[in-house]
Amino acid sequence: MSDSSLIAKAEKMKTYSNAIWLDNIKNMQSWLQPNLEGALSQQNSGGTPVLTVFVVYDLPGRDCHALASNGELLANDSDMERYKSEYIDVIEGHLKTYKSQPVVLVIEPDSLANMVTNIESTPACADSQNYYFDGHAYLLKKLGVFPNVALYLDIGHAFWLGWDDNREKAAKVYAKVIQSGAPAKVRGFVDNVANYTPWEDPTLSRGPDTEWNPCPDEKRYLEAMHKDFTSAGIQSVYFFSDTSRNGKKTDRKHPGEWCNQTGCGIGARPKASPISGMEYLDAFYWVKPIGESDGTSDTSAKRYDGYCGHETAMKPAPEAGQWFQKFFEEGLKNANPPL
């Protein structure tokens, strides 16, 4: 990167933390313990709590409705056992060791939202549903029992579950999942992970442009979800919103466009209790690193997803999770508020 202004913006990003993605067994083994240890050392030397945020992301049959981010484990019994013994149990073991520091776990992005909307339409989601529900029950019982660890279940975004019927169904699904993990505690829910839906968009309302979605931005989505989840009897309804790439409204042909969007910008800085009057909003946070690709634009690749070939997707793009420099620079240039 040669642009001095972009270099200066990138330097400012170093002052903020990002979630650490435990997106396969190897990466979990490499990144979980060292980051916990580093945070503990920093906490001990500074005398104040140091929060670490991890994304738990390796369910069998992961991302059943997409191709770009399919995982290492397949939807079968043997891989389910690997998920439990080689992944969740190992995470549990490290959490038992590091009990004196705050930890947030973002749980399995896209998984339960797929269970709300895609079981009937997508065979891979139908094949994965037992493993998704069993996996959540298992991980909640293992990871949701530590007083220093806060779990947030992923709820997609406004243009996935924002419609009235989707929210009504979601409330039932999430209440059932939380009950399946009892007596474990779930702090709340995370929205907009790796997505681009603005926090507020006053230009949109319920109408044909939004396919009659009453929640056309994340703020209205969380307001509605708070009411629905509370009414469904869920005891702890707090939110953790990903603002890593929703600072600038992108020119999406459809609000559901999700892959490497042209014109995206880094959003609000990570901050606890960021909105006055929304006491149930715990934080804005950068869950998805802005420079990581959402998926490859190579049509011959095994994990190519058509969304990554759409007009609004940046190209050429590498595989999901790989570094995408032009995408990173796009986010820096369009950051709102500016870096």
Side-chain angles (χ1 to χ4, degrees):
M1 192 161 60
S2 58
D3 187 323
S4 59
S5 65
L6 291 184
I7 292 173
K9 292 176 187 294
E11 286 295 325
K12 291 180 181 178
M13 286 191 70
K14 293 181 180 179
T15 62
Y16 299 96
S17 61
N18 233 119
I20 300 158
W21 286 64
L22 310 177
D23 55 353
N24 57 52
I25 293 169
K26 180 180 178 182
N27 286 342
M28 179 274 295
Q29 293 171 337
S30 299
W31 297 341
L32 178 59
Q33 190 276 334
N35 279 285
L36 287 170
E37 180 62 33
L40 179 60
S41 177
Q42 185 179 347
Q43 177 173 292
N44 289 340
S45 62
T48 57
V50 175
L51 172 70
T52 315
V53 180
F54 297 99
V55 181
V56 176
Y57 187 53
D58 204 26
L59 269 175
R62 187 180 76 192
D63 271 7
C64 59
H65 189 62
L67 296 175
S69 45
N70 291 161
E72 64 182 348
L73 302 178
L74 303 179
N76 60 50
D77 291 349
S78 60
D79 277 4
M80 184 75 248
E81 287 307 310
R82 289 193 66 199
Y83 179 72
K84 292 177 178 179
S85 63
E86 298 179 38
Y87 186 72
I88 295 301
D89 289 357
V90 177
I91 294 173
E92 177 197 25
H94 288 304
L95 293 178
K96 285 180 177 178
T97 301
Y98 295 90
K99 292 183 176 181
S100 64
Q101 64 207 82
V103 174
V104 160
L105 299 181
V106 171
I107 302 299
E108 298 292 352
D110 293 350
S111 58
L112 294 180
N114 273 316
M115 297 296 94
V116 174
T117 63
N118 294 321
I119 289 177
E120 295 178 359
S121 63
T122 306
C125 292
D127 293 342
S128 300
Q129 61 178 310
N130 289 340
Y131 300 108
Y132 279 26
F133 289 127
D134 183 29
H136 274 82
Y138 188 83
L139 74 86
L140 291 180
K141 291 174 181 177
K142 290 284 187 173
L143 310 181
V145 297
F146 300 100
N148 62 311
V149 178
L151 273 60
Y152 293 84
L153 304 181
D154 182 84
I155 55 169
H157 53 84
F159 279 97
W160 190 342
L161 300 183
W163 288 267
D164 294 341
D165 53 345
N166 285 348
R167 297 197 326 273
E168 180 181 1
K169 185 176 180 181
K172 296 176 182 177
V173 168
Y174 285 83
K176 181 179 178 180
V177 167
I178 292 169
Q179 182 58 39
S180 75
K185 301 295 184 183
V186 172
R187 169 68 181 177
F189 308 91
V190 59
D191 69 294
N192 214 31
V193 171
N195 204 262
Y196 303 88
T197 309
W199 172 248
E200 287 188 282
D201 188 351
T203 69
L204 293 180
S205 60
R206 187 172 194 165
D209 289 345
T210 62
E211 298 181 358
W212 306 100
N213 186 348
C215 305
D217 57 35
E218 292 303 304
K219 184 173 186 289
R220 280 176 277 186
Y221 177 52
L222 295 191
E223 288 171 342
M225 280 300 219
H226 183 261
K227 293 178 182 177
D228 294 338
F229 280 14
T230 301
S231 296
I234 297 175
Q235 296 299 307
S236 184
V237 185
Y238 295 89
F239 298 99
F240 191 81
S241 191
D242 186 2
T243 58
S244 61
R245 42 174 70 184
N246 70 341
K248 180 176 179 288
K249 184 178 179 180
T250 57
D251 187 24
R252 295 189 279 185
K253 302 302 180 184
H254 183 275
E257 299 274 5
W258 54 264
C259 192
N260 300 322
Q261 290 300 288
T262 301
C264 75
I266 295 166
R269 306 299 101 91
K271 183 180 180 181
S273 304
I275 303 296
S276 176
M278 291 185 73
E279 68 285 347
Y280 51 85
L281 178 62
D282 281 344
F284 287 152
Y285 196 76
W286 291 347
V287 178
K288 179 69 172 180
I290 184 65
E292 287 191 1
S293 174
D294 294 324
T296 181
S297 59
D298 179 0
T299 57
S300 66
K302 181 179 180 180
R303 297 204 304 171
Y304 172 74
D305 190 294
Y307 275 97
C308 298
H310 284 193
E311 180 183 347
T312 58
M314 294 183 68
K315 308 174 195 68
E319 289 278 0
Q322 293 184 5
W323 188 252
F324 190 179
Q325 182 66 24
K326 289 185 177 180
F327 184 48
F328 176 65
E329 294 177 16
E330 189 91 342
L332 292 177
K333 288 187 292 186
N334 294 315
N336 178 31
L339 284 162

PDB file of all heavy atoms in Angstrom, residues 155-172:
ATOM      1  N   ILE A 155     -27.774 -14.043  14.820  1.00  0.00           N
ATOM      2  CA  ILE A 155     -29.143 -13.887  14.312  1.00  0.00           C
ATOM      3  C   ILE A 155     -29.168 -13.290  12.902  1.00  0.00           C
ATOM      4  O   ILE A 155     -30.138 -12.626  12.516  1.00  0.00           O
ATOM      5  CB  ILE A 155     -30.013 -13.032  15.261  1.00  0.00           C
ATOM      6  CG1 ILE A 155     -29.361 -11.672  15.534  1.00  0.00           C
ATOM      7  CG2 ILE A 155     -30.287 -13.777  16.555  1.00  0.00           C
ATOM      8  CD1 ILE A 155     -30.290 -10.679  16.239  1.00  0.00           C
ATOM      9  N   GLY A 156     -28.132 -13.522  12.112  1.00  0.00           N
ATOM     10  CA  GLY A 156     -28.130 -13.013  10.751  1.00  0.00           C
ATOM     11  C   GLY A 156     -28.170 -11.497  10.726  1.00  0.00           C
ATOM     12  O   GLY A 156     -27.457 -10.825  11.475  1.00  0.00           O
ATOM     13  N   HIS A 157     -29.040 -10.939   9.898  1.00  0.00           N
ATOM     14  CA  HIS A 157     -29.116  -9.479   9.774  1.00  0.00           C
ATOM     15  C   HIS A 157     -30.515  -9.081   9.350  1.00  0.00           C
ATOM     16  O   HIS A 157     -31.394  -9.931   9.129  1.00  0.00           O
ATOM     17  CB  HIS A 157     -28.075  -8.978   8.771  1.00  0.00           C
ATOM     18  CG  HIS A 157     -28.136  -9.660   7.433  1.00  0.00           C
ATOM     19  ND1 HIS A 157     -29.004  -9.263   6.436  1.00  0.00           N
ATOM     20  CD2 HIS A 157     -27.463 -10.731   6.937  1.00  0.00           C
ATOM     21  CE1 HIS A 157     -28.858 -10.044   5.385  1.00  0.00           C
ATOM     22  NE2 HIS A 157     -27.927 -10.950   5.658  1.00  0.00           N
ATOM     23  N   ALA A 158     -30.730  -7.773   9.216  1.00  0.00           N
ATOM     24  CA  ALA A 158     -32.071  -7.236   8.982  1.00  0.00           C
ATOM     25  C   ALA A 158     -32.711  -7.758   7.704  1.00  0.00           C
ATOM     26  O   ALA A 158     -33.922  -7.969   7.648  1.00  0.00           O
ATOM     27  CB  ALA A 158     -32.005  -5.706   8.948  1.00  0.00           C
ATOM     28  N   PHE A 159     -31.900  -7.972   6.677  1.00  0.00           N
ATOM     29  CA  PHE A 159     -32.463  -8.438   5.409  1.00  0.00           C
ATOM     30  C   PHE A 159     -32.378  -9.958   5.265  1.00  0.00           C
ATOM     31  O   PHE A 159     -32.418 -10.484   4.161  1.00  0.00           O
ATOM     32  CB  PHE A 159     -31.814  -7.712   4.231  1.00  0.00           C
ATOM     33  CG  PHE A 159     -32.412  -6.350   4.014  1.00  0.00           C
ATOM     34  CD1 PHE A 159     -31.803  -5.221   4.532  1.00  0.00           C
ATOM     35  CD2 PHE A 159     -33.616  -6.214   3.341  1.00  0.00           C
ATOM     36  CE1 PHE A 159     -32.373  -3.971   4.360  1.00  0.00           C
ATOM     37  CE2 PHE A 159     -34.192  -4.969   3.163  1.00  0.00           C
ATOM     38  CZ  PHE A 159     -33.569  -3.838   3.671  1.00  0.00           C
ATOM     39  N   TRP A 160     -32.281 -10.625   6.395  1.00  0.00           N
ATOM     40  CA  TRP A 160     -32.414 -12.079   6.438  1.00  0.00           C
ATOM     41  C   TRP A 160     -33.645 -12.453   7.281  1.00  0.00           C
ATOM     42  O   TRP A 160     -34.571 -13.112   6.809  1.00  0.00           O
ATOM     43  CB  TRP A 160     -31.149 -12.709   6.992  1.00  0.00           C
ATOM     44  CG  TRP A 160     -31.065 -14.197   6.872  1.00  0.00           C
ATOM     45  CD1 TRP A 160     -32.089 -15.085   6.638  1.00  0.00           C
ATOM     46  CD2 TRP A 160     -29.878 -14.992   6.979  1.00  0.00           C
ATOM     47  NE1 TRP A 160     -31.619 -16.371   6.603  1.00  0.00           N
ATOM     48  CE2 TRP A 160     -30.264 -16.346   6.800  1.00  0.00           C
ATOM     49  CE3 TRP A 160     -28.537 -14.702   7.210  1.00  0.00           C
ATOM     50  CZ2 TRP A 160     -29.344 -17.398   6.856  1.00  0.00           C
ATOM     51  CZ3 TRP A 160     -27.630 -15.743   7.259  1.00  0.00           C
ATOM     52  CH2 TRP A 160     -28.024 -17.075   7.081  1.00  0.00           C
ATOM     53  N   LEU A 161     -33.667 -11.976   8.504  1.00  0.00           N
ATOM     54  CA  LEU A 161     -34.751 -12.356   9.415  1.00  0.00           C
ATOM     55  C   LEU A 161     -35.655 -11.186   9.785  1.00  0.00           C
ATOM     56  O   LEU A 161     -36.475 -11.316  10.689  1.00  0.00           O
ATOM     57  CB  LEU A 161     -34.157 -12.967  10.695  1.00  0.00           C
ATOM     58  CG  LEU A 161     -33.304 -14.224  10.540  1.00  0.00           C
ATOM     59  CD1 LEU A 161     -32.855 -14.722  11.916  1.00  0.00           C
ATOM     60  CD2 LEU A 161     -34.049 -15.322   9.795  1.00  0.00           C
ATOM     61  N   GLY A 162     -35.539 -10.060   9.099  1.00  0.00           N
ATOM     62  CA  GLY A 162     -36.261  -8.869   9.508  1.00  0.00           C
ATOM     63  C   GLY A 162     -37.763  -8.901   9.304  1.00  0.00           C
ATOM     64  O   GLY A 162     -38.498  -8.191   9.998  1.00  0.00           O
ATOM     65  N   TRP A 163     -38.247  -9.712   8.391  1.00  0.00           N
ATOM     66  CA  TRP A 163     -39.678  -9.766   8.125  1.00  0.00           C
ATOM     67  C   TRP A 163     -40.440 -10.372   9.308  1.00  0.00           C
ATOM     68  O   TRP A 163     -39.915 -11.195  10.048  1.00  0.00           O
ATOM     69  CB  TRP A 163     -39.931 -10.578   6.856  1.00  0.00           C
ATOM     70  CG  TRP A 163     -39.518  -9.855   5.608  1.00  0.00           C
ATOM     71  CD1 TRP A 163     -40.296  -9.067   4.819  1.00  0.00           C
ATOM     72  CD2 TRP A 163     -38.210  -9.848   5.003  1.00  0.00           C
ATOM     73  NE1 TRP A 163     -39.557  -8.571   3.753  1.00  0.00           N
ATOM     74  CE2 TRP A 163     -38.281  -9.040   3.845  1.00  0.00           C
ATOM     75  CE3 TRP A 163     -36.990 -10.450   5.331  1.00  0.00           C
ATOM     76  CZ2 TRP A 163     -37.196  -8.807   3.019  1.00  0.00           C
ATOM     77  CZ3 TRP A 163     -35.901 -10.222   4.512  1.00  0.00           C
ATOM     78  CH2 TRP A 163     -36.001  -9.411   3.367  1.00  0.00           C
ATOM     79  N   ASP A 164     -41.709  -9.982   9.449  1.00  0.00           N
ATOM     80  CA  ASP A 164     -42.493 -10.383  10.613  1.00  0.00           C
ATOM     81  C   ASP A 164     -42.541 -11.900  10.796  1.00  0.00           C
ATOM     82  O   ASP A 164     -42.354 -12.408  11.909  1.00  0.00           O
ATOM     83  CB  ASP A 164     -43.932  -9.846  10.497  1.00  0.00           C
ATOM     84  CG  ASP A 164     -44.000  -8.332  10.566  1.00  0.00           C
ATOM     85  OD1 ASP A 164     -43.036  -7.720  11.043  1.00  0.00           O
ATOM     86  OD2 ASP A 164     -45.035  -7.768  10.148  1.00  0.00           O
ATOM     87  N   ASP A 165     -42.793 -12.636   9.705  1.00  0.00           N
ATOM     88  CA  ASP A 165     -42.922 -14.087   9.841  1.00  0.00           C
ATOM     89  C   ASP A 165     -41.591 -14.732  10.181  1.00  0.00           C
ATOM     90  O   ASP A 165     -41.537 -15.702  10.957  1.00  0.00           O
ATOM     91  CB  ASP A 165     -43.522 -14.711   8.572  1.00  0.00           C
ATOM     92  CG  ASP A 165     -42.776 -14.326   7.309  1.00  0.00           C
ATOM     93  OD1 ASP A 165     -41.966 -13.374   7.333  1.00  0.00           O
ATOM     94  OD2 ASP A 165     -43.010 -14.987   6.265  1.00  0.00           O
ATOM     95  N   ASN A 166     -40.496 -14.206   9.638  1.00  0.00           N
ATOM     96  CA  ASN A 166     -39.179 -14.746   9.977  1.00  0.00           C
ATOM     97  C   ASN A 166     -38.821 -14.486  11.431  1.00  0.00           C
ATOM     98  O   ASN A 166     -38.272 -15.361  12.120  1.00  0.00           O
ATOM     99  CB  ASN A 166     -38.101 -14.149   9.071  1.00  0.00           C
ATOM    100  CG  ASN A 166     -38.116 -14.728   7.673  1.00  0.00           C
ATOM    101  OD1 ASN A 166     -38.779 -15.730   7.406  1.00  0.00           O
ATOM    102  ND2 ASN A 166     -37.387 -14.105   6.766  1.00  0.00           N
ATOM    103  N   ARG A 167     -39.136 -13.291  11.911  1.00  0.00           N
ATOM    104  CA  ARG A 167     -38.830 -12.974  13.314  1.00  0.00           C
ATOM    105  C   ARG A 167     -39.659 -13.824  14.259  1.00  0.00           C
ATOM    106  O   ARG A 167     -39.174 -14.292  15.296  1.00  0.00           O
ATOM    107  CB  ARG A 167     -39.051 -11.485  13.605  1.00  0.00           C
ATOM    108  CG  ARG A 167     -38.152 -10.541  12.835  1.00  0.00           C
ATOM    109  CD  ARG A 167     -38.130  -9.144  13.453  1.00  0.00           C
ATOM    110  NE  ARG A 167     -39.398  -8.766  14.042  1.00  0.00           N
ATOM    111  CZ  ARG A 167     -40.416  -8.195  13.390  1.00  0.00           C
ATOM    112  NH1 ARG A 167     -40.309  -7.941  12.090  1.00  0.00           N
ATOM    113  NH2 ARG A 167     -41.537  -7.876  14.036  1.00  0.00           N
ATOM    114  N   GLU A 168     -40.919 -14.051  13.914  1.00  0.00           N
ATOM    115  CA  GLU A 168     -41.778 -14.882  14.756  1.00  0.00           C
ATOM    116  C   GLU A 168     -41.237 -16.310  14.844  1.00  0.00           C
ATOM    117  O   GLU A 168     -41.161 -16.898  15.936  1.00  0.00           O
ATOM    118  CB  GLU A 168     -43.195 -14.899  14.181  1.00  0.00           C
ATOM    119  CG  GLU A 168     -44.173 -15.744  14.993  1.00  0.00           C
ATOM    120  CD  GLU A 168     -45.569 -15.777  14.386  1.00  0.00           C
ATOM    121  OE1 GLU A 168     -45.776 -15.156  13.323  1.00  0.00           O
ATOM    122  OE2 GLU A 168     -46.444 -16.431  14.980  1.00  0.00           O
ATOM    123  N   LYS A 169     -40.822 -16.843  13.712  1.00  0.00           N
ATOM    124  CA  LYS A 169     -40.257 -18.195  13.703  1.00  0.00           C
ATOM    125  C   LYS A 169     -38.917 -18.228  14.432  1.00  0.00           C
ATOM    126  O   LYS A 169     -38.611 -19.171  15.169  1.00  0.00           O
ATOM    127  CB  LYS A 169     -40.101 -18.683  12.270  1.00  0.00           C
ATOM    128  CG  LYS A 169     -39.642 -20.129  12.167  1.00  0.00           C
ATOM    129  CD  LYS A 169     -39.603 -20.596  10.714  1.00  0.00           C
ATOM    130  CE  LYS A 169     -39.133 -22.054  10.623  1.00  0.00           C
ATOM    131  NZ  LYS A 169     -39.082 -22.508   9.200  1.00  0.00           N
ATOM    132  N   ALA A 170     -38.114 -17.171  14.217  1.00  0.00           N
ATOM    133  CA  ALA A 170     -36.797 -17.114  14.863  1.00  0.00           C
ATOM    134  C   ALA A 170     -36.930 -17.139  16.377  1.00  0.00           C
ATOM    135  O   ALA A 170     -36.152 -17.819  17.070  1.00  0.00           O
ATOM    136  CB  ALA A 170     -36.052 -15.860  14.422  1.00  0.00           C
ATOM    137  N   ALA A 171     -37.889 -16.413  16.914  1.00  0.00           N
ATOM    138  CA  ALA A 171     -38.070 -16.376  18.366  1.00  0.00           C
ATOM    139  C   ALA A 171     -38.296 -17.777  18.919  1.00  0.00           C
ATOM    140  O   ALA A 171     -37.755 -18.147  19.977  1.00  0.00           O
ATOM    141  CB  ALA A 171     -39.239 -15.460  18.720  1.00  0.00           C
ATOM    142  N   LYS A 172     -39.054 -18.584  18.217  1.00  0.00           N
ATOM    143  CA  LYS A 172     -39.317 -19.955  18.657  1.00  0.00           C
ATOM    144  C   LYS A 172     -38.064 -20.816  18.546  1.00  0.00           C
ATOM    145  O   LYS A 172     -37.750 -21.603  19.449  1.00  0.00           O
ATOM    146  CB  LYS A 172     -40.451 -20.547  17.830  1.00  0.00           C
ATOM    147  CG  LYS A 172     -41.789 -19.847  18.002  1.00  0.00           C
ATOM    148  CD  LYS A 172     -42.846 -20.421  17.068  1.00  0.00           C
ATOM    149  CE  LYS A 172     -44.174 -19.687  17.213  1.00  0.00           C
ATOM    150  NZ  LYS A 172     -45.198 -20.193  16.262  1.00  0.00           N
TER     151      LYS A 172
END
